[in-house]
Amino acid sequence: MADAILTTRGLCRSFGALRAVDDVTLDVRRGSITGLIGPNGAGKSTLFNLLAGVLPPDAGEIALEGRPLSGPPEARFAAGLGRTFQIPRPFARMSVLENVMLAPMGQTGETLWGAILGRGKVRGEEARHRARAMEILDFVTLAPLADHPAGQISGGQMKLLELARVLMGDPRVILLDEPAAGVNPVLTETLIGKIEALNAAGTTFVVIEHDMDFVMRHCDPVIALAEGRVIFQGTAAEAQANPALLDAYLGAPVDA
Ligand SMILES: Nc1ncnc2c1ncn2[C@@H]1O[C@H](COP(=O)(O)OP(=O)(O)O)[C@@H](O)[C@H]1O
Ligand SMILES: [Mg+2]
């Protein structure tokens, strides 16, 4: 692909005899909100874990901006790849603000984030870190909850907190694992608004989502996995009309 920001080549990962991710080669288009769909157990979260460095692959390569992406999650975060988890796990007794401040801050000068907020970088390091965390909390509408224990906020607010933590790193690419699952419709709309705003400012997203309405409205292109393999790439409308995809869903275990 001419302008791929994130690529994989022959990515494989097994758990025992199970090939959870099986020879996945794909290009994520710069500036896209790419939807990653597929039935439960298709390997979507495992693929994210491989991309984010949570799991080592058995084989294959990953590149971000044409440079090999390897090493631990922190190194990949620093390189510009952020990810959220399907099940958020904040430090429950720490405040919302402290949870955001735990994330290392991107060091880029003219960042997307700076562009959105138009702030200089003249503050002291610690104060700057705190101020940035507050600005990001404000952006994700969680500023009023900054001092609340993170364990006491709602599931939807935890998803927004996850996004806030990721934004501390000035990511070029953000991987979102089921952002709308279990989130009330109002917070889902808030989250979607933030994703669209960040995307308009240049951030690329890969979004795992089961809600086809969400995928239809916000994702282009759509990549489908089944049994660890890429079985479809195209528009959301094409995905909905694709018989192989329907078969994959019908043949899949139903656990959610
Ligand atoms: N850490 C693990 N150990 C063993 N099996 C796993 C592990 N993680 C995922 N799997 C298995 O790999 C397959 C793909 O899982 P996953 O990537 O979570 O699928 P998805 O996110 O598409 O629902 C499933 O069969 C799952 O049970
Ligand atoms: Mg999953």
Side-chain angles (χ1 to χ4, degrees):
M1 185 187 288
D3 202 13
I5 187 165
L6 177 67
T7 61
T8 74
R9 294 291 176 265
L11 214 51
C12 295
R13 171 71 201 208
S14 294
F15 298 109
L18 176 79
R19 293 186 177 199
V21 169
D22 189 4
D23 194 19
V24 167
T25 291
L26 52 84
D27 293 337
V28 175
R29 195 177 71 227
R30 182 187 308 280
S32 67
I33 300 178
T34 295
L36 184 60
I37 66 171
N40 286 313
K44 305 180 297 295
S45 292
T46 301
L47 176 59
F48 270 19
N49 285 335
L50 296 176
L51 293 171
V54 176
L55 281 173
D58 299 327
E61 279 108 48
I62 303 164
L64 181 69
E65 298 281 16
R67 285 183 288 274
L69 189 68
S70 60
E74 303 75 45
R76 299 184 195 206
F77 188 69
L81 184 74
R83 78 81 63 92
T84 65
F85 286 90
Q86 187 170 346
I87 317 273
R89 32 196 152 172
F91 292 94
R93 292 192 199 164
M94 293 175 74
S95 74
V96 166
L97 175 63
E98 285 164 342
N99 268 275
V100 177
M101 288 184 68
L102 284 178
M105 199 161 95
Q107 297 299 323
T108 342
E110 286 304 305
T111 60
L112 157 76
W113 197 247
I116 287 182
L117 292 170
R119 299 293 158 86
K121 38 180 295 184
V122 285
R123 303 182 191 104
E125 201 59 30
E126 158 75 27
R128 215 161 70 86
H129 204 85
R130 172 177 291 268
R132 168 86 84 91
M134 272 312 295
E135 286 166 351
I136 290 175
L137 279 177
D138 196 37
F139 175 72
V140 302
T141 72
L142 290 182
L145 295 173
D147 297 327
H148 278 57
Q152 289 177 16
I153 63 177
S154 75
Q157 289 164 340
M158 281 190 195
K159 301 258 179 174
L160 289 166
L161 174 56
E162 286 262 298
L163 179 62
R165 287 170 50 97
V166 161
L167 289 176
M168 285 294 277
D170 282 324
R172 297 157 190 271
V173 179
I174 300 180
L175 312 176
L176 297 176
D177 199 341
E178 301 200 24
V183 178
N184 78 51
V186 174
L187 280 186
T188 298
E189 284 310 312
T190 302
L191 188 64
I192 288 170
K194 300 311 168 190
I195 293 169
E196 297 279 0
L198 291 161
N199 181 244
T203 308
T204 301
F205 285 85
V206 183
V207 185
I208 297 175
E209 190 48 67
H210 286 297
D211 179 353
M212 272 315 277
D213 184 52
F214 176 100
V215 173
M216 288 292 289
R217 281 198 292 151
H218 304 289
C219 298
D220 182 35
V222 171
I223 297 170
L225 286 185
E227 297 178 350
R229 292 183 154 263
V230 176
I231 60 162
F232 170 86
Q233 299 193 55
T235 66
E238 287 164 358
Q240 277 209 317
N242 188 280
L245 211 47
L246 192 62
D247 286 349
Y249 274 96
L250 291 175
V254 177
D255 66 22

